[in-house]
Amino acid sequence: MTQARRRGLNGVVTRMWSLLAPAYDLPVLQQWVYRPPHDEVIAHLRGHGSRKIADIACGTGILSDRIQRELNPDEIYGVDMSDGMLNQARARSNRVQWMRGPAEQLPFDDGALDAVVTTSAFHFFDQPVALREFHRVLAPGGLVAVAALSARQPLLQALSAGRWKPQHNASPAEVRALFEDAGFVVSDQHRVRRPVWTKIVSDLITVGTKR
């Protein structure tokens, strides 16, 4: 996909989420769709002992705020492209540093962070570029955790892989290969653990460290 087309798709997705921002915080949606991957990401951050963390495509800031409250890191950044989402995030917390920017061009110096996480958004990114950018901003040994939609069935995966669509739900093997190509060692990969009635949400968490 050309850079011009990617920028156009990013703009469409950003405008869509700006419009949907008020509905994003609905308790039912958060409890059953978004909380399970958030719980897993926080567990990995706690195990890693991460102190400088960026939550990419942070939306209205629910995960970033939880990271700040539950882990009390030295630095926590919430990064998103949507002004609508960031406006709600700023109203949620003044202890998180909220920043506007795409996953493919993060506003951090090389090696500035020791953890980068993203949930429920990776399928919208230019995935190889975003992972290389995550690698750039992480210090050696830094943690990356990505939770994203990933089709369970090969046929569904093939249908979701059209190059002209604004999202790509990569298979587990593809995500692992993308991580390794970007310079990460994969330490964990599994389906997000969910109550049985929400397993229709087919998401995968992949965790790695920077070599």
Side-chain angles (χ1 to χ4, degrees):
M1 182 180 292
T2 66
Q3 287 299 311
R5 183 169 180 83
R6 167 53 57 183
R7 285 194 296 271
L9 289 174
N10 280 349
V12 170
V13 171
T14 300
R15 288 191 294 274
M16 177 188 74
W17 282 112
S18 291
L19 292 172
L20 293 176
Y24 186 79
D25 284 354
L26 289 173
V28 171
L29 189 66
Q30 286 297 325
Q31 177 70 23
W32 300 121
V33 176
Y34 296 113
R35 189 174 181 91
H38 289 182
D39 288 345
E40 296 213 24
V41 164
I42 286 175
H44 280 287
L45 290 171
R46 183 176 284 112
H48 182 257
S50 308
R51 304 307 303 164
K52 298 180 180 180
I53 304 166
D55 175 19
I56 311 303
C58 65
T60 61
I62 290 175
L63 175 58
S64 305
D65 180 49
R66 279 191 64 191
I67 290 170
Q68 191 281 319
R69 289 185 291 104
E70 296 180 24
L71 301 181
N72 193 30
D74 298 332
E75 299 172 17
I76 171 64
Y77 302 91
V79 183
D80 203 280
M81 289 182 61
S82 165
D83 288 326
M85 290 288 190
L86 287 172
N87 287 339
Q88 289 189 223
R90 292 186 183 101
R92 183 182 305 281
S93 173
N94 60 8
R95 300 182 69 183
V96 177
Q97 298 185 59
W98 307 109
M99 308 174 78
R100 190 177 189 279
E104 299 85 358
Q105 192 173 0
L106 296 175
F108 303 106
D109 292 335
D110 295 359
L113 304 171
D114 57 26
V116 172
V117 302
T118 186
T119 60
S120 306
F122 186 68
H123 38 277
F124 290 122
F125 298 168
D126 183 329
Q127 295 166 1
V129 175
L131 282 170
R132 289 195 297 270
E133 187 70 347
F134 296 174
H135 189 275
R136 179 187 70 79
V137 302
L138 284 170
L143 178 83
V144 60
V146 172
L149 295 177
S150 176
R152 292 176 183 273
Q153 301 300 325
L155 176 58
L156 294 176
Q157 176 59 37
L159 291 173
S160 75
R163 62 181 297 186
W164 302 117
K165 295 182 179 180
Q167 72 178 64
H168 176 61
N169 304 339
S171 69
E174 186 178 359
V175 176
R176 181 178 289 271
L178 287 168
F179 266 56
E180 292 171 349
D181 288 347
F184 292 107
V185 176
V186 175
S187 58
D188 188 17
Q189 185 183 68
H190 61 266
R191 295 286 171 185
V192 172
R193 299 178 182 94
R194 294 183 164 279
V196 66
W197 58 90
T198 65
K199 286 186 180 293
I200 191 172
V201 181
S202 181
D203 47 354
L204 179 81
I205 185 166
T206 307
V207 181
T209 54
K210 179 175 177 175
R211 296 193 187 105

